[in-house]
Amino acid sequence: MISKQDQCRARNAECGRGTTCGTAAAIGTLLLAAAASVSFVVEDASVISSAAATAAVVTVPSESAPVPAGSDAVHAIETHYRDLADLTAKVVQKNFLKSVEKTQQFEGTLAIKRPGKLRLEYTNGQVIVVDGKDAWFYSKKSSQAVRRTFKDFEQANIPVAFLLGAGAIRQDFNVSVPEADKPRMLDLVPKRTVAAMKKLRLHSDECGRITRMIVHDRSGNTSDVQFSDVKEAVGLDDEQFRFKVPKGTEIIEQ
């Protein structure tokens, strides 16, 4: 009989090296998850950026100790993405803005490369680029770009840092399984009260691939991000993660 671990290894091999995993497969670590509450000061509404799991190893409890809820799912996510160098995917993101009781939908493409590189490009002209040091938020509509240091995201404990593998899941989050019959759906609540994110819900498959992320911020906004056409280990060029400021763009330092 083929073990579940061996089955996942076989699926990982099929989904690696530039091959496409279907719409059910999707993003993690480095991750993705992308989905933090990032306010574009130049837009009417907030864009909650997202992209998937972390690169840290979950401590496995001894046989005599109780197994924390969601341990298998957390371990599967981290195992899948721990050695994954890069990935690309299509993104469909729905943002619910509590202040105006309105839902906006965004579509775009995501590229992630370890360590610490992310590019999320929306079809509406908004772009988020993290080069490992700085994070850029660009709006073509207003010809403005906001630049922040990547360290800010790590300190705020928001999903961009989480998805890029900035910390261990159980180190930074309290994990629970909200529905007993759905062990692959996890709720992650930041242990640090200063975090902008209130809760992150992850959906993953049996092999640890994150297929959906729902981010809840402290203002009551949510960002629901789903991934498709995921390609792993494609050999992305670092040049893709260097933001080139378009001519005439106003740069805002934060």
Side-chain angles (χ1 to χ4, degrees):
M1 178 178 292
I2 301 176
S3 68
K4 177 63 66 178
Q5 184 177 17
D6 289 337
Q7 291 176 2
C8 287
R9 286 174 178 170
R11 289 179 61 186
N12 288 346
E14 292 175 359
C15 292
R17 295 178 177 81
T19 58
T20 301
C21 304
T23 55
I27 301 203
T29 106
L30 312 167
L31 224 294
L32 213 109
S37 273
V38 178
S39 295
F40 277 91
V41 298
V42 294
E43 294 293 325
D44 293 333
S46 296
V47 173
I48 303 176
S49 68
S50 114
T54 96
V57 180
V58 173
T59 300
V60 180
S62 64
E63 294 182 1
S64 59
V67 179
S71 289
D72 289 346
V74 171
H75 182 71
I77 290 171
E78 294 184 330
T79 298
H80 178 74
Y81 292 104
R82 186 182 306 126
D83 300 320
L84 187 62
D86 58 30
L87 61 82
T88 61
K90 292 180 180 179
V91 175
V92 175
Q93 178 175 325
K94 295 180 180 179
N95 296 341
F96 171 71
L97 305 176
K98 178 66 176 178
S99 61
V100 294
E101 295 292 325
K102 181 180 179 180
T103 298
Q104 297 176 321
Q105 180 167 314
F106 301 88
E107 296 183 6
T109 57
L110 172 72
I112 293 175
K113 183 176 182 179
R114 296 179 66 184
K117 296 181 176 65
L118 177 149
R119 185 181 188 94
L120 183 56
E121 192 161 351
Y122 296 99
T123 55
N124 67 355
Q126 293 181 346
V127 181
I128 299 172
V129 178
V130 179
D131 60 15
K133 179 182 178 182
D134 294 321
W136 290 87
F137 304 90
Y138 170 71
S139 169
K140 182 178 180 180
K141 179 180 178 180
S142 60
S143 296
Q144 290 180 310
V146 176
R147 180 168 65 181
R148 299 178 183 175
T149 61
F150 181 61
K151 185 177 181 180
D152 291 338
F153 289 97
E154 294 173 323
Q155 291 177 337
N157 203 1
I158 59 179
V160 170
F162 167 75
L163 294 174
L164 290 171
I169 292 178
R170 290 196 182 279
Q171 175 180 315
D172 298 328
F173 297 88
N174 292 312
V175 182
S176 63
V177 178
E179 299 182 26
D181 60 339
K182 297 180 180 180
R184 298 293 171 181
M185 182 173 71
L186 305 175
D187 277 354
L188 277 59
V189 176
K191 294 181 179 179
R192 297 178 59 192
T193 57
V194 297
M197 178 177 61
K198 182 178 180 180
K199 181 178 71 174
L200 171 63
R201 175 165 290 182
L202 296 180
H203 294 255
S204 65
D205 64 18
E206 292 183 352
C207 293
R209 297 185 186 90
I210 294 175
T211 58
R212 183 182 181 188
M213 302 176 65
I214 304 175
V215 181
H216 300 254
D217 71 16
R218 296 190 177 280
S219 298
N221 304 313
T222 62
S223 181
D224 187 339
V225 186
Q226 298 190 52
F227 310 96
S228 64
D229 194 22
V230 179
K231 298 179 181 178
E232 300 177 339
V234 293
L236 297 177
D237 192 328
D238 285 344
E239 188 65 24
Q240 186 171 349
F241 303 96
R242 295 189 180 96
F243 180 70
K244 299 178 180 178
V245 181
K247 185 177 180 179
T249 297
E250 177 187 3
I251 299 176
I252 302 171
E253 302 282 353
Q254 290 189 353

